[in-house]
Amino acid sequence: MLAGFLLVLAGVLIAIFPQLLSLIVALFLIGAGLNIIFISYYYKKVSRHFDNPFIDFIFRF
């Protein structure tokens, strides 16, 4: 119930202040990018212990 209330409140704030939407989207994209960076760093650190060609193909770039 609390999560629903927070989502409704966020929707109302976005309707009143449209610039919040761009801020939320920007923070989401920055967070997603940081997650990908940390996952790839962790994979490179752990890759010495196991070999998975499928993961190697995905994280090659």
Side-chain angles (χ1 to χ4, degrees), residues 13-26:
L13 286 174
I14 287 172
I16 294 172
F17 304 108
Q19 62 270 24
L20 282 177
L21 180 60
S22 63
L23 179 66
I24 291 170
V25 171

Side-chain angles (χ1 to χ4, degrees), residues 6-57:
L6 290 176
L7 285 173
V8 169
L9 181 65
V12 170
L13 286 174
I14 287 172
I16 294 172
F17 304 108
Q19 62 270 24
L20 282 177
L21 180 60
S22 63
L23 179 66
I24 291 170
V25 171
L27 289 175
F28 175 76
L29 291 174
I30 290 170
L34 288 174
N35 279 335
I36 290 173
I37 289 171
F38 289 135
I39 288 170
S40 64
Y41 173 74
Y42 175 76
Y43 170 72
K44 286 183 181 188
K45 192 169 77 171
V46 175
S47 67
R48 297 182 204 118
H49 300 293
F50 68 94
D51 186 28
N52 189 344
F54 182 71
I55 303 265
D56 284 337
F57 178 74

